[in-house]
């Protein structure tokens, strides 16, 4: 069974003295004293909220399953994720995000503003690996491409990035359709080139941190076998560009 883990991906965030002062002044977005948190949820309310969202997500799953199978069947190598990026961008546009494409070659950034509050970035990687799939699945990849050295290789999603793209699209829709449940600014970021270690830097070099609202926290999810909802790691923002 696949499980979602959450990590904070603090990539080249500003750590200047001015930024440190701003962070000290920023109230905890999850505390009852935060100005946008007008309703503090107790345990029964949280359970009721989760149960309601579970039902909503059950209704969303058939659509997400089709998206996942399509992306799985059409994988793209690092920095060549043009088709996948268009699927993500079109979906964000459909659900009322402000969308920018071609960030760091194929990166996609969607912005959903919903009043005052923290800026939260959700990030998913898009690229596949030069590995021939031999699963026998009806939606298995038969894609063949040329790698950076010009070699013909099979291509497949064997590291879960097809799932990462799918969950972020689903999360984006849920946030858009249930804006009465939260306040702040949401950034949905689809990153290229994770497997070759180039995509994040390409997006930063293309102005990711200057062209868009600076996030107070960045959440990246990864699927793996394990306990559901466990936190894999937390990395504070300590680096600057």
């Amino acid at each position: 069974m696949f499980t979602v883990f959450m990590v904070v991906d603090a990539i080249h965030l500003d750590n200047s003295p001015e930024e440190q002062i701003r962070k000290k002044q920023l109230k905890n977005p999850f505390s009852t004293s935060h100005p946008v948190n007008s309703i503090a949820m107790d345990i029964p309310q949280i359970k009721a909220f989760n149960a309601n969202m579970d039902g909503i997500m059950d209704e969303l799953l058939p659509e997400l399953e089709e998206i996942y199978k399509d992306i799985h069947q059409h994988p793209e190598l690092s920095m060549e994720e043009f088709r996948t990026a268009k699927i993500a961008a079109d979906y964000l546009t459909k659900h009322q995000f402000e969308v920018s494409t071609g960030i760091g070659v194929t990166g996609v950034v969607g912005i959903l503003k919903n009043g005052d509050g923290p800026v939260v970035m959700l990030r998913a990687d898009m690229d596949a690996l030069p590995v021939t799939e031999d699963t026998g699945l009806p939606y298995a990849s038969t894609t063949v491409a040329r790698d950076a050295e010009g070699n013909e290789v099979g291509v497949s999603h064997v590291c879960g990035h097809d799932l990462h793209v799918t969950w972020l699209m689903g999360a984006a829709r849920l946030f858009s359709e249930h804006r009465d449940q939260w306040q702040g600014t949401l950034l949905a970021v689809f990153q290229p080139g994770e497997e070759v270690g180039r995509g994040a830097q390409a997006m930063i070099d293309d102005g990711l941190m200057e062209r868009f609202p600076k996030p107070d926290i960045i959440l990246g999810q990864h699927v793996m076998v394990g306990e559901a909802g466990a936190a894999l790691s937390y990395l504070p923002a300590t680096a600057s560009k």
Side-chain angles (χ1 to χ4, degrees):
M1 181 179 68
F2 285 114
T3 304
V4 176
F5 284 73
M6 292 205 307
V7 300
V8 176
D9 184 3
I11 48 174
H12 298 275
L13 296 183
D14 183 7
N15 199 42
S16 65
E18 294 80 6
E19 178 67 5
Q20 290 301 306
I21 293 173
R22 187 189 74 85
K23 289 177 180 177
K24 289 180 181 179
Q25 292 174 339
L26 180 68
K27 293 181 179 180
N28 179 0
F30 303 107
S31 72
T32 57
S33 62
H34 194 275
V36 303
N37 190 3
S38 58
I39 302 176
M41 298 176 69
D42 56 24
I43 297 300
Q45 288 174 316
I46 292 173
K47 289 183 177 180
F49 173 82
N50 287 342
N52 180 52
M53 292 307 294
D54 285 344
I56 293 170
M57 286 187 282
D58 286 343
E59 295 176 3
L60 182 58
L61 282 178
E63 177 188 67
L64 296 183
E65 183 177 0
E66 290 304 310
I67 292 170
Y68 159 72
K69 288 180 178 179
D70 179 57
I71 294 173
H72 182 90
Q73 197 169 19
H74 300 92
E76 295 170 296
L77 292 175
S78 302
M79 311 307 292
E80 297 178 7
E81 311 91 335
F82 296 100
R83 181 181 187 275
T84 306
K86 186 177 187 306
I87 291 172
D90 289 348
Y91 195 84
L92 292 179
T93 300
K94 176 182 176 182
H95 293 288
Q96 302 178 338
F97 280 72
E98 301 172 26
V99 179
S100 298
T101 60
I103 312 300
V105 184
T106 62
V108 176
V109 176
I111 304 175
L112 186 63
K113 297 178 180 178
N114 191 34
D116 295 331
V119 179
V120 176
M121 177 189 290
L122 303 180
R123 169 266 189 191
D125 35 18
M126 300 186 291
D127 51 333
L129 284 164
V131 176
T132 300
E133 181 171 353
D134 190 23
T135 63
L137 292 170
Y139 54 91
S141 168
T142 58
T143 299
V144 176
R146 293 196 178 276
D147 62 16
E149 287 73 40
N151 302 310
E152 189 174 271
V153 294
V155 185
S156 62
H157 276 293
V158 290
C159 196
H161 296 187
D162 45 357
L163 286 164
H164 299 175
V165 172
T166 303
W167 77 252
L168 183 48
M169 291 171 64
R173 176 177 170 178
L174 289 174
F175 273 100
S176 179
E177 293 181 346
H178 299 277
R179 277 176 262 192
D180 59 322
Q181 302 288 334
W182 63 282
Q183 286 181 257
T185 297
L186 178 69
L187 298 181
V189 175
F190 294 84
Q191 177 199 310
E194 187 273 342
E195 296 292 357
V196 294
R198 290 169 48 199
Q201 190 64 56
M203 293 190 78
I204 291 169
D205 293 343
D206 203 9
L208 177 65
M209 293 302 175
E210 292 78 34
R211 295 166 59 182
F212 307 99
K214 181 174 291 185
D216 296 300
I217 189 169
I218 302 174
L219 300 176
Q221 279 70 25
H222 202 292
V223 291
M224 62 192 341
V225 176
E227 181 182 356
L232 181 61
S233 65
Y234 175 89
L235 301 175
T238 57
S240 60
K241 183 175 177 181

